[in-house]
Amino acid sequence: MVDWNLAVATATRLVRPGPEVSRDEARAVVAELRRHAKSSEEHVRGFTRLGTDETHDTPVLVVDRPGWVRANVAGFRELLKPLLDKMQARRGSSPGGMVLGAVGGKVTGVELGMLLSFLASRVLGQYETFAPATRELPAGENGGGRLLLVAPNIVHVERELDVEPHDFRLWVCLHEETHRTQFTAVPWLRDHLEGEIQSFLSETDVDPMAFLERIREAAQSLVGGRPEGEEDDSGRSLVELVQTPAQREILGRLTAVMSLLEGHADYVMDGVGPEVVPTVAEIREKFQQRRAKGASRLDTALRKLLGLDAKLRQYREGERFVRAVVEQVGMDGFNRVWTSPNTLPTKAEIAKPADWVARVHRKGEP
């Protein structure tokens, strides 16, 4: 169904080269990012009051753009395996199914590679939770993940923003270390997210014709060809438009969790920043401006099509939620969000933090 090797080959061939640095500069950047990742552990744990020694079980990998591609293809392959196995079995039982599958796998591999080549030059860091460990890409034991820091992208952005490089690198590490702390300090979080994602995928139409029909309808909506009288979907991405009603429900829950995780990381990054990052105010202002304006018209169009604009909203809405809850009930009160899936905020509660406080901290509850 997907030629994964072709996806990697396509992405690594198409991805733009990183900024020019000498070999000595590259080594210095890698060493500094590893030091900052290590020091960030103590800063984040102290501020959030989360974390255990299990954090050390997850390795820090400083990677280039092709390394990020390989790690994410491994993650996609693991997450999508149940769905693709089901689709493969169905296609294999139809006349010519195996031939169509081989051809379709090549096409899908190229398309995925093109998408990853676009993203590979934009991601600064990532806590990768789902991919299995390999010799090239080690991961923590017992289902632990790995922290990826994409060195060329960090250098590119610090130059583009014209900020103090050492401060910017630590600032990025604080954000990504918060994600590592979230998953290592909250043991059920990874399984919960994986379960939600698998539920989402299980609702995907296995019938290729039904899926193509939804793609056609989505394309009509995006280009203004929607039949008269239908709801305006222009504010939604292609990813959202091809979903079933059941998937939209699941996506609402996933959006709430991702808003929480991203907003919490931004809140921690800014909370710790003034004490350890002298130029944090300048970095934050310039980085927010960069997020808001995008790089080009093509970049803006792709961001909307892929739903990346929604991710930017998650940072803002999630950070407002965390800030409001901490102001009302303190950090320990906020940390009750990590008690169980039932204490996670809903999408509506992200927008109205007082409703989450009222539900989780209701009178009489211990």
Side-chain angles (χ1 to χ4, degrees), residues 201-261:
L201 294 175
S202 70
E203 292 290 333
T204 300
D205 287 327
V206 178
D207 182 357
M209 293 307 297
F211 186 73
L212 288 174
E213 178 63 19
R214 292 224 311 279
I215 290 284
R216 184 188 65 80
E217 293 172 357
Q220 287 181 344
S221 296
L222 289 170
V223 301
R226 185 187 322 101
E228 185 178 353
E230 287 193 10
E231 182 182 358
D232 184 356
D233 283 324
S234 60
R236 290 159 54 197
S237 71
L238 179 61
V239 175
E240 293 173 298
L241 288 170
V242 297
Q243 292 160 10
T244 66
Q247 284 177 313
R248 288 179 190 144
E249 274 190 41
I250 299 168
L251 184 69
R253 297 195 297 270
L254 281 169
T255 298
V257 176
M258 297 312 297
S259 296
L260 170 69
L261 298 180

Side-chain angles (χ1 to χ4, degrees), residues 48-316:
T48 63
R49 304 176 192 173
L50 292 173
T52 67
D53 289 339
E54 292 177 10
T55 304
H56 296 289
D57 183 42
T58 57
V60 176
L61 306 181
V62 182
V63 298
D64 57 10
R65 291 168 178 175
W68 180 87
V69 167
R70 288 190 291 271
N72 277 266
V73 165
F76 284 141
R77 192 170 190 167
E78 186 74 10
L79 272 180
L80 295 177
K81 188 176 186 302
L83 171 65
L84 295 179
D85 285 349
K86 183 170 66 172
M87 295 182 72
Q88 182 71 32
R90 180 163 181 171
R91 176 173 284 180
S93 64
S94 63
M98 296 304 292
V99 175
L100 288 173
V103 174
K106 299 290 185 186
V107 173
T108 308
V110 170
E111 291 173 341
L112 178 59
M114 293 172 66
L115 169 62
L116 289 170
S117 73
F118 171 75
L119 296 174
S121 61
R122 287 157 174 77
V123 176
L124 300 181
Q126 174 186 358
Y127 184 71
E128 214 293 314
T129 51
F130 299 113
T134 65
R135 185 177 63 179
E136 184 182 27
L137 294 166
E141 297 177 1
N142 303 317
R146 52 186 169 232
L147 181 61
L148 305 177
L149 297 170
V150 191
N153 295 350
I154 294 172
V155 172
H156 170 77
V157 173
E158 71 191 26
R159 291 179 178 179
E160 179 186 324
L161 298 181
D162 190 25
V163 293
E164 210 291 317
H166 306 294
D167 285 3
F168 183 75
R169 294 166 195 174
L170 176 55
W171 190 70
V172 171
C173 287
L174 288 170
H175 182 101
E176 303 308 331
E177 176 57 37
T178 302
H179 286 317
R180 181 162 67 157
T181 297
Q182 290 163 347
F183 281 92
T184 55
V186 185
W188 53 265
L189 184 57
R190 178 189 181 278
D191 290 341
H192 173 71
L193 268 180
E194 184 174 15
E196 291 280 57
I197 292 169
Q198 292 302 332
S199 296
F200 180 90
L201 294 175
S202 70
E203 292 290 333
T204 300
D205 287 327
V206 178
D207 182 357
M209 293 307 297
F211 186 73
L212 288 174
E213 178 63 19
R214 292 224 311 279
I215 290 284
R216 184 188 65 80
E217 293 172 357
Q220 287 181 344
S221 296
L222 289 170
V223 301
R226 185 187 322 101
E228 185 178 353
E230 287 193 10
E231 182 182 358
D232 184 356
D233 283 324
S234 60
R236 290 159 54 197
S237 71
L238 179 61
V239 175
E240 293 173 298
L241 288 170
V242 297
Q243 292 160 10
T244 66
Q247 284 177 313
R248 288 179 190 144
E249 274 190 41
I250 299 168
L251 184 69
R253 297 195 297 270
L254 281 169
T255 298
V257 176
M258 297 312 297
S259 296
L260 170 69
L261 298 180
E262 296 293 358
H264 183 233
D266 264 14
Y267 178 80
V268 172
M269 183 168 58
D270 288 345
V272 174
E275 295 185 8
V276 298
V277 183
T279 60
V280 65
E282 177 191 0
I283 291 173
R284 185 62 160 157
E285 180 181 0
K286 290 183 175 181
F287 196 76
Q288 289 288 60
Q289 291 173 354
R290 181 181 185 272
R291 273 182 179 173
K293 71 179 183 180
S296 67
R297 181 176 297 179
L298 175 61
D299 186 72
T300 301
L302 284 170
R303 292 170 80 88
K304 182 172 183 178
L305 184 67
L306 298 172
L308 299 181
D309 283 342
K311 184 174 177 64
L312 299 184
R313 290 195 297 272
Q314 289 173 7
Y315 284 103
R316 295 192 296 269

Side-chain angles (χ1 to χ4, degrees), residues 7-68:
V8 172
T10 301
T12 53
R13 185 176 69 252
L14 295 178
V15 71
R16 293 181 295 180
E20 291 187 11
V21 295
S22 68
R23 181 170 296 182
D24 287 343
E25 287 176 308
R27 287 173 177 163
V29 170
V30 170
E32 183 173 18
L33 287 173
R34 286 178 174 152
R35 289 197 304 272
H36 285 330
K38 181 65 177 177
S39 65
S40 293
E41 292 181 27
E42 183 178 351
H43 297 313
V44 170
R45 291 183 195 180
F47 185 81
T48 63
R49 304 176 192 173
L50 292 173
T52 67
D53 289 339
E54 292 177 10
T55 304
H56 296 289
D57 183 42
T58 57
V60 176
L61 306 181
V62 182
V63 298
D64 57 10
R65 291 168 178 175
W68 180 87

